[in-house]
Amino acid sequence: MVTLSDVARKANVSKMTVSRVINHPEKVTDELKELVFQAMKDLNYKPNAAAKALVNNKTQIIKFFILEEIDTTEPYYMNLLMGISKTLDQYQYSLQLITQNSFDLGQSDGYIITGMREKHAEWIERLEKPFVLFGENRYGYDYVDTDNALGTSYATQHAIDSGYTNIVYIGIDVKESFEYSREAGYINTMQKYKMVPKIYRFDNRSRYTFDFITKNIHRFPKKTAFICSSDRLAIGIERGIQNKGEKLPDDYGIIGFDGVFLDQIAHPQLTTIKQPVIEMGMACATMILNKIKQDGAPQGNELFNPTLVVRGTTINRE
């Protein structure tokens, strides 16, 4: 078994230097770090995570805390967890997935929190360990998210450029920052072209939008495009239109939001606003590790630009 002494001998430095590189790399020159890391790589030496945690008075654990009930088997959240874990693993941190019922069980160095709603603000204020949110908020907490307004702006612009003359927004019925931003992106783009916004809101379930369109398709003239706040809502719209025997994308257009999995199983596949979810997960992990390292110092927010992916539910004039 390779030991710390072997690494020190290989790098031609003291054991104390090797220990400092492993446990306090910020206190060592880049030249020394490169020397020691290369020796570790050559000898296939893996630092003992438990020993490192003990030296630094850390647990080497980050908890991923779910405040609202979500389906963690959905690919969106699996991609998010993959991104978080990928970065934490580089720093020998482990990730624990917890809910409110298990929040107080076990120790950790900090939290990544998702699903925050207005009702949780008072509780979050009492947290004693560093935390960052996945999802924008209006309370000044550090967070990582997609630029939601930019995403729906892209979607609305694409619908207009594709020749649709009636542009309708299908939103998620929650009074939260991300939804306000998505609606704002749609409204601002509509106003830019002096078009009247039309907004309908539903719980984020495809059955609700399916029922709505099935019963109300007559209210929407041909050349209507539906800008949806999620791919889940968009799939309901798509199935409802097909159920009424209408044509996609010539008569009606649909644009979703997320671009993780549901957009690809739809038929035809959905035009959507794709979020870089794995990269956002990696950013969450980087942000919480930096915050821990800096004794809880504010990190601000990081917004990722989404991408318009044009598929079979909109006319493509390019």
Side-chain angles (χ1 to χ4, degrees):
M1 182 180 295
V2 180
T3 66
L4 205 68
S5 297
D6 296 327
V7 175
R9 194 177 304 112
K10 177 75 173 178
N12 197 29
V13 297
S14 68
K15 285 176 58 178
M16 184 177 295
T17 298
V18 175
S19 179
R20 190 176 295 115
V21 168
I22 293 171
N23 296 304
H24 301 287
E26 72 281 0
K27 298 181 180 179
V28 182
T29 65
D30 290 341
E31 185 179 3
L32 263 181
K33 279 190 285 190
E34 185 176 347
L35 196 64
V36 171
F37 286 147
Q38 186 60 51
M40 290 167 61
K41 182 178 179 181
D42 292 344
L43 296 173
N44 195 29
Y45 176 76
K46 305 291 185 184
N48 186 304
K52 180 179 178 180
L54 188 63
V55 169
N56 293 317
N57 194 29
K58 303 289 185 185
T59 66
Q60 298 300 114
I61 294 171
I62 298 297
K63 291 186 177 183
F64 182 76
F65 190 28
I66 303 167
L67 279 169
E68 259 322 90
E69 184 178 347
I70 59 173
D71 182 2
T72 53
T73 64
E74 186 175 302
Y76 183 95
Y77 288 100
M78 293 305 294
N79 277 272
L80 177 66
L81 291 169
M82 185 188 305
I84 294 171
S85 298
K86 185 175 182 180
T87 295
L88 292 183
D89 186 61
Q90 295 176 13
Y91 295 90
Q92 294 188 295
Y93 265 83
S94 61
L95 181 67
Q96 287 186 358
L97 179 63
I98 60 172
T99 62
Q100 278 188 286
N101 292 334
S102 59
F103 174 75
D104 292 325
L105 299 178
Q107 297 296 311
S108 70
D109 297 333
Y111 310 108
I112 297 171
I113 300 172
T114 190
M116 180 201 167
R117 300 291 183 258
E118 185 175 349
K119 63 185 179 182
H120 301 124
E122 183 179 347
W123 177 84
I124 285 180
E125 285 286 350
R126 298 198 298 267
L127 291 178
E128 297 180 354
K129 292 191 175 91
F131 67 89
V132 300
L133 300 185
F134 177 68
E136 64 177 283
N137 68 93
R138 55 183 181 273
Y139 299 98
Y141 302 140
D142 302 329
Y143 72 85
V144 173
D145 203 347
T146 302
D147 190 329
N148 291 294
L150 183 63
T152 48
S153 176
Y154 284 163
T156 309
Q157 186 67 55
H158 172 64
I160 293 169
D161 292 344
S162 298
Y164 297 102
T165 54
N166 186 45
I167 317 294
V168 177
Y169 184 79
I170 304 295
I172 300 173
D173 191 16
V174 291
K175 296 179 180 179
E176 301 300 335
S177 296
F178 78 91
E179 182 59 30
Y180 292 143
S181 293
R182 292 182 189 183
E183 290 191 15
Y186 160 76
I187 292 170
N188 291 340
T189 307
M190 292 288 283
Q191 291 177 339
K192 176 182 173 183
Y193 289 90
K194 295 181 172 54
M195 300 174 74
V196 179
K198 304 176 188 71
I199 299 176
Y200 300 85
R201 301 180 183 92
F202 303 89
D203 287 346
N204 193 24
R205 296 288 184 271
S206 61
R207 65 178 180 271
Y208 296 123
T209 47
F210 171 83
D211 289 343
F212 173 74
I213 288 300
T214 299
K215 295 174 183 176
N216 296 283
I217 189 67
H218 61 278
R219 295 168 56 182
F220 302 102
K222 300 293 175 65
K223 295 300 178 184
T224 292
F226 297 93
I227 310 300
C228 301
S229 189
S230 73
D231 288 339
R232 192 177 291 275
L233 294 178
I235 282 182
I237 296 287
E238 180 180 39
R239 290 173 179 167
I241 289 173
Q242 291 170 330
N243 185 52
K244 300 303 290 185
E246 302 291 351
K247 294 180 181 179
L248 291 168
D250 294 333
D251 293 338
Y252 294 94
I254 307 166
I255 305 175
F257 200 115
D258 284 335
V260 176
F261 175 69
L262 295 178
D263 57 310
Q264 298 174 56
I265 65 171
H267 183 74
Q269 292 185 337
L270 286 172
T271 294
T272 192
I273 300 299
K274 183 176 178 61
Q275 301 188 63
V277 182
I278 293 178
E279 290 81 1
M280 294 189 329
M282 295 170 67
C284 284
T286 299
M287 185 177 287
I288 189 60
L289 293 180
N290 286 339
K291 193 166 185 176
I292 291 168
K293 182 179 177 180
Q294 297 168 23
D295 296 322
Q299 304 295 306
N301 60 71
E302 185 171 357
L303 290 177
F304 283 76
N305 286 349
T307 305
L308 172 69
V309 180
V310 179
R311 296 201 182 95
T313 58
T314 55
I315 297 168
N316 186 1
R317 292 192 168 180
E318 294 183 359

